[in-house]
Amino acid sequence: NATSPEVFVLLGFSSRPSLEPILFIVVLGFYVVSIFSNGIIILVSCMDVHLHTPMYFFLANLSFLDISFTTSIVPQLLVNLWGPQKTISYEGCMVQFYVSHWLGATECVLLAVMSYDRYAAICRPLHYTVIMHPQLCLSLAFASWLGGLTTSIVGSTLTMLLPLCGNNHIDHFFCEMPLIMQMACVKTSLNEVEMYVASFIFVVLPLGLILISYGHIACTVMKIRSAEGRRKAFNTCSSHVAVVALFYGSIIFMYLQPAKSNSHEQGKFIALFYTVVTPMLNPLIYTLRNKDVKKALR
């Protein structure tokens, strides 16, 4: 009986069939706006020479990551919301959780890298161009993508090797590694240890580095005497702080929920927020609060 199923059934929001048509329209709208706005950020960052700086290099990486992350999940979600068929092939499910795990881990590291860039810009302004030289920026971006890929290959492969014994119903709208682990009919101690270690390295540690960076930034800003100087420093960081708050806020809120029967349903909507809404809000936050980007767009 220890055979992998040919297809998985993504239950998603099937318990609320009247909600599915509304969700389809909302998710499709958010997805189109997300692809368009993130694509514009990448295009502007590449074409405008005034935006050829470390900050916009990392922002273009974040936008490309957001496009890839939503595209790995949303098209399948739209298919399942549109019709009665709620299935995804075994291979499609494997690809989905490999890619989503990779990009989720990469975003955690990339946000920490962006906070270090803001630290260098505000706390070491006279040495900024020396510290954040192009080779370092490329190395940090490459390390972010490679680190996320490495943890995805290790964790996802260990999960894929688990025997599922014919169980093929996933109570979510996409294939997520912890839910696949719950379907296994053997002990998953090794997988759980790997998941906890990876969560510490790629979630807790980057968050700690972000908090340390902004602790130093806050101390530096407090020492600025002029109100105009403090305002400029605040504007430099506010967009990144908002993006970090959205990303980590939704993750923390989801994992701090009490273990009640309705908490899993709430978890689906929170997951919908960080997979669909957050990637759409990121470029809008940077565009609306950034004079350089608005000037480049004009």
Side-chain angles (χ1 to χ4, degrees), residues 140-251:
L140 290 172
F142 180 74
S144 301
W145 288 93
L146 182 62
L149 179 61
T150 303
T151 188
S152 174
I153 289 174
V154 174
S156 300
T157 302
L158 286 173
T159 304
M160 191 177 68
L161 294 174
L162 292 171
L164 304 181
C165 303
N167 187 9
N168 71 335
H169 284 68
I170 301 175
D171 192 10
H172 214 308
F173 60 85
F174 71 101
C175 294
E176 198 174 29
M177 198 167 70
L179 295 176
I180 302 291
M181 287 168 55
Q182 291 175 13
M183 297 163 61
C185 51
V186 295
K187 288 185 178 181
T188 58
S189 304
L190 178 62
N191 301 71
E192 289 170 12
V193 169
E194 187 280 331
M195 189 171 68
Y196 290 136
V197 171
S199 297
F200 176 79
I201 295 173
F202 288 94
V203 179
V204 178
L205 198 57
L207 180 58
L209 293 173
I210 291 170
L211 295 175
I212 290 170
S213 295
Y214 277 104
H216 285 290
I217 289 170
C219 291
T220 303
V221 171
M222 292 297 289
K223 294 176 183 177
I224 298 174
R225 294 182 179 180
S226 68
E228 180 65 19
R230 287 195 295 269
R231 187 186 64 80
K232 286 182 178 179
F234 174 76
N235 287 337
T236 301
C237 300
S238 58
S239 297
H240 182 255
V241 170
V243 169
V244 169
L246 280 172
F247 181 75
Y248 277 101
S250 57
I251 291 175

Side-chain angles (χ1 to χ4, degrees), residues 2-16:
T3 56
S4 299
E6 293 183 4
V7 297
F8 287 98
V9 178
L10 296 171
L11 298 178
F13 302 96
S14 56
S15 60
R16 305 184 183 188

Side-chain angles (χ1 to χ4, degrees), residues 51-71:
L51 300 184
H52 291 175
T53 62
M55 176 181 174
Y56 297 105
F57 170 72
F58 293 127
L59 178 57
N61 272 266
L62 181 64
S63 293
F64 179 72
L65 190 150
D66 282 339
I67 290 174
S68 304
F69 184 66
T70 52
T71 302

Side-chain angles (χ1 to χ4, degrees), residues 38-196:
N38 281 293
I40 289 292
I41 291 288
I42 295 171
L43 189 64
V44 168
S45 299
C46 293
M47 292 185 65
D48 194 308
V49 292
H50 299 99
L51 300 184
H52 291 175
T53 62
M55 176 181 174
Y56 297 105
F57 170 72
F58 293 127
L59 178 57
N61 272 266
L62 181 64
S63 293
F64 179 72
L65 190 150
D66 282 339
I67 290 174
S68 304
F69 184 66
T70 52
T71 302
S72 71
I73 294 172
V74 171
Q76 182 66 47
L77 171 60
L78 291 172
V79 170
N80 291 350
L81 288 173
W82 180 254
Q85 203 74 8
K86 310 292 182 187
T87 58
I88 182 173
S89 67
Y90 176 82
E91 294 77 13
C93 189
M94 297 301 110
V95 169
Q96 194 175 72
F97 76 70
Y98 264 100
V99 173
S100 61
H101 189 189
W102 171 24
L103 298 176
T106 300
E107 182 157 359
C108 291
V109 180
L110 190 60
L111 289 174
V113 168
M114 293 173 77
S115 72
Y116 175 72
D117 173 63
R118 294 300 83 207
Y119 159 79
I122 293 174
C123 299
R124 306 286 298 278
L126 299 179
H127 301 91
Y128 178 68
T129 54
V130 177
I131 296 171
M132 300 303 295
H133 54 85
Q135 290 79 9
L136 179 64
C137 293
L138 284 170
S139 299
L140 290 172
F142 180 74
S144 301
W145 288 93
L146 182 62
L149 179 61
T150 303
T151 188
S152 174
I153 289 174
V154 174
S156 300
T157 302
L158 286 173
T159 304
M160 191 177 68
L161 294 174
L162 292 171
L164 304 181
C165 303
N167 187 9
N168 71 335
H169 284 68
I170 301 175
D171 192 10
H172 214 308
F173 60 85
F174 71 101
C175 294
E176 198 174 29
M177 198 167 70
L179 295 176
I180 302 291
M181 287 168 55
Q182 291 175 13
M183 297 163 61
C185 51
V186 295
K187 288 185 178 181
T188 58
S189 304
L190 178 62
N191 301 71
E192 289 170 12
V193 169
E194 187 280 331
M195 189 171 68
Y196 290 136

Side-chain angles (χ1 to χ4, degrees), residues 270-288:
I270 297 167
L272 193 66
F273 181 82
Y274 72 74
T275 55
V276 179
V277 181
T278 302
M280 185 272 297
L281 290 177
N282 288 353
L284 295 180
I285 290 169
Y286 275 100
T287 303
L288 295 174

